[in-house]
Amino acid sequence: MAFPTWQSLPAMFFAQARQLGNQPFLWCKRAGKWESLSYADTASQVRRVARSLQALGVAPGDRIVLVAENRPEWTIADMAIMAIGAITVPAFATNTVADHRHVLIHSAAKGVIVSTTTIAERVMPAALEAPDLAFVVTMEELPIAQRIAKRLVSWRDLLEAGAGRPDDLDETIARLQRSDTCCFIYTSGTGGTPKGVMLTHGSILCNCLGAWHLLKDIGIGNDVFLCFLPLSHAYEHTVGQFFPMTVGAQIYFAESVEKLTDNMVEVKPTIMTAVPRLYEAMHQRILRGLAKATPFQRRIFNLALRLGRRRMEGQRLGPLDRLLDLAAEVLVRRKLRQRFGGRLKAFVSGGAALNEEIGLFFLALGLRLLQGYGQTEASPVVSANPPRKIKIRTVGPALEAVEIRIATDGEILIRSEAVMKGYWRDEAATSATVRDGWLHTGDIGVLDSDGYLQITDRKKDIIVLSGGDNVSPARVEGFLVLQPEINQAMVYGDKHTHVVALLVPDEEFVKNWARHAGGSPDRARLAEDTAFQRALAPAIDRVNAGLSAIERVRRYTIAAEPFTMENAMLTVSMKIRRHKILERYGAALEHLYK
């Protein structure tokens, strides 16, 4: 079976809805019970919302910001916006007021759709300052909504009003082209100012084609996806929402990360996309459980791990080992798969680099784990390990319809329909990033003899946490050095769960503290003084109060001396040299995670 060619995402969705009709599509747990919307019911609600948005004055090309947790209304709103030729602008529910202000104003949003009171409390103040914003749609009854001087429309009214309006949606959809922009995904750029990545219908559909080719060998059909990463993230937006649509799958929206394991047992997903942090957490949970097991259970588990790794490395098992491996399959691997629902065809890891040992751990225990690589600017998946030939230390070969080239300086270049149209209102950044049709990723890598890509370094400084979130260190550092107690700072955290910081205290602060505390002003000694370290805590608290959750500095340590040109930690232009600082303080920063 070939992957169909559609002109737009709405054309794809409505084609699937006509074919699949009453098949369950979107699932959400309400009052302790899983409830579903069929493809047909979802399509009906998309039409209603689309017609009401048109009545609110939304025209093709207008931007509508969407801020909500994962839920059926998210997908319905996303499809309705795109179906009338408008552009969805997903925003993270965890954004600060300042983040929302930037997105609303920079995108010149015509409207914003929000869900809960908690989210609205951060969106509404920003909405007041957005000059182009004409209306706010609230998915739930929000008391705060009455305090905003914008046109307010409830989700219920949107659905009811749309039921009786004329429907010319099919004609509108027929005019959509693959090259039309369908969404902006805001991502942090140099200096921390988020840029709006313009993705087209064709770029996302191209990515879905690549995912289909990747997974077709293990069977696509009657699939169940468990969606828990934010749909505002390019990874989940494409792979967790649109790809399941293209293969007629069901999507379950997980209750929360805390309930994810329970949800997996209930839902029994067949394919699950996640970030490395999930696999790290599952790995820790399994090892904690193993510590409480009987000696025999530990021995058989370690046997399963050892023999599984030998098979992964291509070693041949002898007759006795084959018998032991069969026992390990029954006593360990099969039971472990049941803990994840028992039907998993594959875990897919993306959004950040996966620790090789974590990958080998799951593969040895019989769980197929496919590591991939991508960027928001590529819609986002670029490459992934194929199920039949996994090299877990790599991120696999290029997806179908994607070309990878390694530049002379080692930078990874991408060419594909999946590459973004550009950055919204930023021609300079677009021209610098996409040159002669090639996306310059800012990452360094090599291709092996099989065409598998291995990422060896990160050319740009953006920190990618193990949960897949991007953090601009320059942005956080900028807030830190504004504090009177802090002169210089470097933020650290790539592949970790959170960020930490290395601080150089202000000279006057050092002298004043030493005078009043009766201590020594010697910086090397102060770096080890716990009382002095605690004295910097108020400055960190002030900074964290203005940052989003993923940007907050959880722990910090103090440098023994300032960053200078003399010690090679500053450039001539007074920029910090991260690699030089890490040569000296890397171990101390890593120690903060222990």
Side-chain angles (χ1 to χ4, degrees), residues 384-398:
N385 274 268
R388 303 298 184 192
K389 188 177 181 180
I390 299 172
K391 297 183 182 181
I392 201 62
R393 66 173 52 87
T394 78
V395 292

Side-chain angles (χ1 to χ4, degrees), residues 213-353:
H213 274 278
L214 177 75
L215 298 172
K216 66 178 181 179
D217 286 348
I218 55 174
I220 295 292
N222 299 317
D223 283 298
V224 173
F225 286 68
L226 181 58
C227 174
F228 81 98
L229 297 174
L231 284 168
S232 48
H233 195 292
Y235 182 34
E236 195 71 9
H237 194 223
T238 293
V239 183
Q241 176 176 270
F242 285 116
F243 176 60
M245 286 184 198
T246 65
V247 296
Q250 300 177 54
I251 301 173
Y252 282 75
F253 296 110
E255 294 178 89
S256 64
V257 174
E258 293 74 24
K259 295 184 179 180
L260 189 59
T261 303
D262 292 339
N263 289 166
M264 290 180 73
V265 174
E266 297 166 344
V267 170
K268 298 178 173 57
T270 60
I271 298 172
M272 190 163 172
T273 59
V275 291
R277 181 56 193 154
L278 171 68
Y279 306 114
E280 293 166 3
M282 292 193 299
H283 173 259
Q284 292 169 357
R285 178 176 290 188
I286 291 169
L287 293 185
R288 283 196 297 268
L290 189 63
K292 301 175 183 178
T294 66
F296 172 76
Q297 288 172 325
R298 286 196 291 271
R299 283 198 298 272
I300 196 70
F301 181 90
N302 289 329
L303 178 69
L305 198 58
R306 178 171 58 83
L307 294 176
R309 289 196 67 153
R310 285 179 59 186
R311 281 190 289 100
M312 283 296 302
E313 294 165 359
Q315 297 182 32
R316 188 172 180 178
L317 301 183
L320 177 59
D321 281 342
R322 286 199 297 272
L323 284 174
L324 291 172
D325 196 47
L326 180 61
E329 175 67 25
V330 173
L331 296 174
V332 177
R333 299 190 189 107
R334 190 176 298 171
K335 290 182 178 179
L336 184 61
R337 287 194 290 268
Q338 289 301 319
R339 288 176 60 179
F340 300 121
R343 296 194 302 175
L344 267 174
K345 299 174 184 177
F347 275 125
V348 182
S349 179

Side-chain angles (χ1 to χ4, degrees), residues 48-49 52-53 56 73 112-115 124 135-142 145 150-162:
R48 292 184 180 191
V49 173
S52 287
L53 289 175
L56 287 169
E73 293 89 344
V112 59
I113 300 174
V114 299
S115 57
M124 296 303 191
F135 64 87
V136 176
V137 174
T138 60
M139 291 180 181
E140 299 177 4
E141 294 297 327
L142 307 178
K150 299 286 182 181
R151 182 173 180 181
L152 297 173
V153 183
S154 73
W155 184 260
R156 182 182 303 171
D157 289 344
L158 213 62
L159 287 171
E160 290 178 357

Side-chain angles (χ1 to χ4, degrees), residues 400-446:
E400 185 79 9
V402 174
E403 295 178 72
I404 297 177
R405 191 178 84 190
I406 306 299
T408 54
D409 65 353
E411 185 175 9
I412 301 164
L413 309 183
I414 309 299
R415 184 165 67 181
S416 172
E417 184 186 17
V419 170
M420 68 173 180
K421 198 170 186 176
Y423 296 114
W424 171 250
R425 290 181 170 174
D426 198 337
E427 293 183 7
T430 300
S431 299
T433 305
V434 182
R435 302 198 291 272
D436 298 323
W438 289 91
L439 172 67
H440 290 243
T441 65
D443 291 324
I444 304 297
V446 294

